[in-house]
Amino acid sequence: MNVLIIGSGGREYSIGRALKHDENVEKVYFSPGNGATDELGENLSITDFNALADFVEENGIDLTIVGPEAPLVEGIVDVFKARGLTIFGPTAKAAQLEGSKIFMKNFLARHNVPTARYIETSSIEEAYRFIETLEVPIVVKADGLCGGKGVIIAQSHEEAKKTAGEMLSGNAFGEAGTAIVIEEFLDGYELSVFAVCDGKDYVVLPAAQDHKRLLDNDEGPNTGGMGAYAPTPLVNDDIYQKLDERVIKPTLKGMEEEGMPFTGVLFIGVMVVKGEPIILEYNVRFGDPECEELMPLLKSPASDLFYKAATGDLKNATIEFHDKYAVGVVMASRDYPYKSSPPAEIIIDEIHHEELQENAHISFAGVSRGEDGKLYATGGRVLVCVGLGDSIKEARDRAYMLVGQVHFAGKQCRTDIAYQALQEA
Ligand code: AMP
Ligand code: GLY
């Protein structure tokens, strides 16, 4: 089959890479892709959804996979479905689970899915009153999509009030912040759990853990994610079962009952507090960098997972994973996440070590190909070095060995990815 992947990050590269190794797949297209996805397939530069659907029809593309949230919230799936095309992702209505935090919190409350105590409001007086009832830290969230920046963890009541005021006035995030959620702070450890859904049935992928802060020991500012690993030993059967019974089943049933059956990948942001999984948020797409570790763990053909989910046929799929671990270390550019950095040529040493050749690889993200044919770091998160192994330590060591082979001016990465799992071991 021929597949089109929408997006340009390391997440999309890793999906393309999995499809490239899949004998059911002939050709992979990316729109827009990045400077390295052209090694896996063909990059397109079409943004209009109907023009993309035209291309899909004209070029015999059997399946479209949507990576990022923005086109989902904007209704790409609705456009494709109306034209009878097969696409992996939720409709715009179902994508509100990510597109509106108020929709998501109210949905969780309606279906008794455990989540932090909250209010949603557009009133500054109401915001102030609720803030007074909470202990610090206090979490203030803009309702709409803010590119991952719309959540502030305030360390004092004054800061929480100031943040709420700035959001509600439209000064902080424009329209996206004119309604807000205020909630209690949950103290625990965070997990990324992914359920690939076909509207009715679902497959839960090995649980992952992301590292959102820029610096080692979870210090520094929040980022899109500086590294991840899976499966994490921080999830035991009890937590998987609670997630299944209290979260995934009621969510999928609720979405179906409310007339928006969920197809695509449900990304469940979980905080485990004293052994109890509590939902922080839903996203309606794969996590980045979590996808870069999950794709190489997939033993079944990637086309099977995506195509069967997109066509409501997961009950006829047996999706298997390798009995291995994957660790991914993000290499970011000099000024990430504050501002863009000057382009820097990427040089990758030739890898002679057989162990590394077979058990480590790069998923490219913020890269462009220069007119000289060379790869340049041009984005914030430039690439992810992924190591695989029979233990987390082995996978981690291989990922960092690969990091050592990659050079560009100003490169930065965390040195402690997977530390929580290794502390446990
Ligand atoms: P969100 O976009 O809602 O996932 O929030 C971004 C990040 O903020 C999460 O990944 C958490 O690390 C943190 N966060 C959000 N809500 C809470 C909460 N209620 N308690 C503690 N941390 C939170
Ligand atoms: N890695 C977290 C995210 O993709 O939102």
Side-chain angles (χ1 to χ4, degrees), residues 11 210 212 224-225 267 281 283 285-290 381:
R11 168 180 53 204
D210 185 16
K212 291 206 165 77
F267 171 171
E281 63 160 354
N283 295 306
R285 43 145 182 109
F286 272 110
D288 191 347
E290 292 94 323
R381 290 187 296 169

Side-chain angles (χ1 to χ4, degrees), residues 101 104 116 139 141 148 151 153 183-187 190 212 222 271 280-281 283:
K101 291 204 189 293
M104 181 263 297
V139 185
K141 303 182 175 187
V151 175
I153 298 181
E183 67 182 28
E184 64 178 345
F185 179 81
L186 300 172
D187 193 9
E190 217 171 321
K212 291 206 165 77
N222 256 329
M271 189 73 86
L280 286 177
E281 63 160 354
N283 295 306

